[in-house]
Amino acid sequence: MNKSSGPEARLLVVDDEPNIRELLSTSLRFAGFDVVAAANGREALAAVDAHSPDLAVLDVMLPDMDGFTLTRRLRAAGQHFPVVFLTARDDTEDKVTGLTVGGDDYVTKPFSLDEVVARIRAVLRRTQPLDDDDAVLRVDDLELDDDAHEVRRGGVTIDLSPTEFKLLRYLMLNPNRVLSKAQILDHVWEYDFNGDASIVESYISYLRRKIDRSPDAPALIQTKRGVGYLLRTSEKR
């Protein structure tokens, strides 16, 4: 991240509507961010190469490719900075799709500029590397390297989005401890998503598919029905 004397972070704003793009860009600059704007997916990809943003605000509906396709292309190219989607519909399917492709949050149009700024700052906070004496966490054959921002299980590297990484880190810091959805929301998202616990359920589901995908290895992420989730070590099985 940039030093405190400079911009808070460099943001990429992608929206094909000129009025919204200009309003967002101006407001985010006023809030202390460095902002690069793009009108479509092609311009966005070029802007990423040229400016290396810390976070992207992507409209889901773009003229050449939708925001989900653009995010898939960015992730496939090794770009793992966080993404906040702008969607015109408060649609559960859109939210789940956004999580699936590696998005970190979403804002529904029409939106409050204060809300957009608050959510951007919350995402940036939760996706920054955290300072610890031991940067590598280990639970059984699962390793999380905080400095390198890498996760491995059985020596095989697992690709996670920034929020998936933070969620797994929270679980690994609390092995064999049941964490409620409220605790996870508070720690990982730092606000309550208006009580939308389905966000936690979706992230746990996608994280489980990545971490526990091998049929030869025991499942680490467990559900305590009606209570929450935990990372159970082999010694507690």
Side-chain angles (χ1 to χ4, degrees):
M1 304 297 293
N2 297 298
K3 296 180 180 179
S4 58
S5 58
E8 190 171 336
R10 177 172 293 155
L11 308 181
L12 171 62
V13 172
V14 187
D15 198 301
D16 63 320
E17 296 183 50
N19 291 342
I20 293 179
R21 188 170 64 249
E22 184 59 32
L23 176 64
L24 272 175
S25 298
T26 301
S27 299
L28 292 171
R29 289 188 184 104
F30 183 77
F33 297 102
D34 182 16
V35 180
V36 178
N40 53 51
R42 179 180 52 80
E43 288 184 10
L45 291 170
V48 169
D49 288 339
H51 301 285
S52 300
D54 298 306
L55 179 146
V57 181
L58 301 184
D59 187 18
V60 170
M61 301 301 293
L62 294 171
D64 53 349
M65 67 182 84
D66 63 34
F68 302 141
T69 300
L70 175 57
T71 302
R72 287 190 188 97
R73 290 186 60 174
L74 289 169
R75 298 298 187 238
Q79 297 286 351
H80 295 291
F81 53 80
V83 170
V84 175
F85 287 113
L86 296 177
T87 174
R89 296 174 297 169
D90 190 14
D91 190 324
T92 300
E93 184 178 345
D94 276 358
K95 298 174 189 176
V96 172
T97 301
L99 298 179
T100 305
V101 301
D104 296 276
D105 203 348
Y106 57 88
V107 177
T108 304
K109 296 179 180 179
F111 50 79
S112 154
L113 290 170
D114 288 341
E115 179 190 11
V116 174
V117 171
R119 293 205 175 197
I120 287 171
R121 286 186 171 137
V123 170
L124 288 170
R125 280 197 305 271
R126 74 176 185 251
T127 54
Q128 287 181 47
L130 302 178
D131 295 326
D132 280 318
D133 294 334
D134 186 0
V136 180
L137 300 176
R138 293 181 178 86
V139 173
D140 290 354
D141 61 344
L142 181 65
E143 292 186 355
L144 182 147
D145 187 328
D146 207 32
D147 287 343
H149 211 273
E150 291 181 351
V151 172
R152 295 175 291 276
R153 184 163 190 196
V156 178
T157 300
I158 300 171
D159 186 31
L160 299 182
S161 73
T163 301
E164 288 171 337
F165 186 90
K166 179 131 189 217
L167 173 56
L168 179 61
R169 190 181 191 286
Y170 185 43
L171 293 171
M172 292 182 72
L173 285 169
N174 296 276
N176 301 310
R177 176 188 171 198
V178 179
L179 302 170
S180 70
K181 292 174 184 176
Q183 286 175 304
I184 294 172
L185 279 171
D186 182 62
H187 183 89
V188 178
W189 279 269
E190 300 182 14
Y191 61 94
D192 66 6
F193 258 107
N194 296 319
D196 191 355
S198 65
I199 296 298
V200 177
E201 295 168 8
S202 296
Y203 263 97
I204 287 286
S205 175
Y206 294 124
L207 186 60
R208 181 181 278 133
R209 290 181 193 177
K210 293 181 179 183
I211 298 301
D212 293 330
R213 62 187 175 186
S214 173
D216 300 324
L220 292 175
I221 301 174
Q222 305 286 325
T223 301
K224 204 75 169 177
R225 195 167 300 281
V227 183
Y229 306 95
L230 75 156
L231 199 72
R232 192 185 297 279
T233 62
S234 56
E235 64 193 35
K236 293 290 185 179
R237 294 193 190 104

